Amino acid sequence: KFLEDMAKTEYAAVVKSLEPIELAPNVTIFEEGDSGTSLFIIYSGQVSVIIKDPKGNEVVVSQLVRGEFFGEFGFLTGTPRTAAVRTVEDTSLFELPQEKMQQIIKVYPHVGEVLHSFYKWRVLDLILVKSSLFSSLNPKERQEIIQRFQFRHVPKGKIIVKEGSVGGELYLIKSGKARVFTSSQGRKNVLVGQLEANDFFGEVSYLTKQKRSATIASATDCDVLFISRKDLDAIVEEHSEIRVKMETAQKQRAHKSLAVFKSKIGQPV
């Protein structure tokens, strides 16, 4: 937990800057998309962290209790809130405004390091929550597999995987956009699809154990996560629904890509 990883002097500096808040049950502290840079620490009670799925339905991705914190995404990046947070019961919070925290970090840089460590972990968790492949996993299951993923930054215009190459890794797009190209009937690098944040690719090679069936290139700067075949095997063995989702996606994408390819080379779909 956040405060437990600090030295006594760091802890004391943070505590002096806290502003208490008392909330009743079912109070929304902030909504997904809101602006805001404060960090919140739970003294007592419980809150739910909520996102909306592609259909607009609310999904509770985690519940936080005494000693845990939230709001670090907006605090560290200045971007809109990535989830809503709502009280489950009577809850006492401490709010830590960004300007006060920044002053503390200047004196105690380790406090910032602790915060960034938690932030990176939660970023990965949120990616899994929003991925259609892993959204069915509960928080504990997600925590167990997060450490199996590796991170890669891909500049705009670079190839992430190349058609015909060997590889069984599965990729998730954290941010950015990518294009899907394929070749057939003497035509090379025909654009057949686009991918964006939370999409996955690489399932065809993983499932068939054959060479890559398409080239994926970054359309913008991209941050991606990838997992090896060996690690994915271990996950799929325990969570068979993930394989089913990959198989479904493979069939849907193959049909769509073929239709797009034929339309571009002038054949009837």
Side-chain angles (χ1 to χ4, degrees):
K1 294 181 180 180
F2 182 46
L3 296 177
E4 292 177 355
D5 287 346
M6 297 181 190
K8 289 183 179 180
T9 52
E10 297 167 343
Y11 177 89
V14 171
V15 169
K16 287 181 181 179
S17 300
L18 298 177
E19 301 174 3
I21 302 174
E22 299 290 334
L23 298 172
N26 202 36
V27 173
T28 299
I29 301 165
F30 52 74
E31 293 280 6
E32 183 176 356
D34 283 354
S35 60
T37 56
S38 289
L39 190 71
F40 297 88
I41 302 172
I42 303 173
Y43 178 72
S44 65
Q46 185 176 8
V47 303
S48 293
V49 180
I50 304 163
I51 65 169
K52 291 184 178 180
D53 65 19
K55 296 181 179 179
N57 300 313
E58 290 190 345
V59 178
V60 176
V61 297
S62 63
Q63 292 190 316
L64 307 177
V65 295
R66 176 181 170 87
E68 296 187 290
F69 70 97
F70 57 92
E72 74 282 0
F73 281 57
F75 175 87
L76 290 171
T77 66
T79 56
R81 301 295 191 184
T82 57
V85 178
R86 188 176 303 148
T87 57
V88 176
E89 57 192 30
D90 288 333
T91 300
S92 298
L93 302 174
F94 289 116
E95 181 177 4
L96 183 56
Q98 186 184 50
E99 59 273 15
K100 291 185 178 181
M101 187 61 158
Q102 288 174 335
Q103 293 171 4
I104 294 170
I105 291 174
K106 286 182 180 179
V107 180
Y108 303 104
H110 179 250
V111 174
E113 294 172 4
V114 171
L115 188 58
H116 273 280
S117 177
F118 278 98
Y119 166 73
K120 290 178 181 178
W121 188 269
R122 285 185 172 173
V123 165
L124 295 177
D125 185 60
L126 188 60
I127 293 170
L128 296 187
V129 168
K130 291 188 173 184
S131 167
S132 59
L133 273 186
F134 301 100
S135 59
S136 61
L137 303 180
N138 62 44
K140 183 178 179 181
E141 290 169 337
R142 293 197 304 270
Q143 287 183 10
E144 291 173 352
I145 70 172
I146 280 175
Q147 59 189 339
R148 297 178 183 269
F149 281 88
Q150 300 179 61
F151 174 84
R152 178 182 170 190
H153 175 73
V154 185
K156 178 181 178 180
K158 298 295 183 180
I159 292 176
I160 306 174
V161 298
K162 187 174 180 61
E163 184 176 5
S165 63
V166 177
E169 299 89 357
L170 181 79
Y171 288 80
L172 298 177
I173 300 180
K174 173 183 177 292
S175 62
K177 295 182 179 180
R179 295 190 176 104
V180 184
F181 300 89
T182 189
S183 303
S184 183
Q185 302 180 25
R187 297 288 296 271
K188 293 184 177 181
N189 298 324
V190 177
L191 178 64
V192 295
Q194 298 192 60
L195 302 169
E196 56 187 24
N198 305 318
D199 285 337
F200 63 89
F201 60 92
E203 78 285 352
V204 176
S205 292
Y206 173 78
L207 291 169
T208 64
K209 297 183 180 180
Q210 296 179 359
K211 294 179 180 180
R212 299 289 187 189
S213 60
T215 292
I216 312 294
S218 55
T220 65
D221 286 351
C222 285
D223 289 332
V224 299
L225 302 174
F226 64 95
I227 185 170
S228 69
R229 176 184 294 279
K230 179 180 178 182
D231 283 335
L232 188 55
D233 281 341
I235 295 171
V236 169
E237 184 176 353
E238 188 170 350
H239 303 282
S240 59
E241 73 276 10
I242 294 176
R243 173 179 286 276
V244 173
K245 290 180 179 180
M246 284 193 288
E247 291 172 342
T248 300
Q250 178 192 6
K251 294 175 183 177
Q252 292 174 341
R253 287 176 171 177
H255 179 75
K256 181 179 179 180
S257 295
L258 180 60
V260 172
F261 185 87
K262 286 183 174 181
S263 69
K264 290 196 172 186
I265 64 173
Q267 289 187 4
V269 177

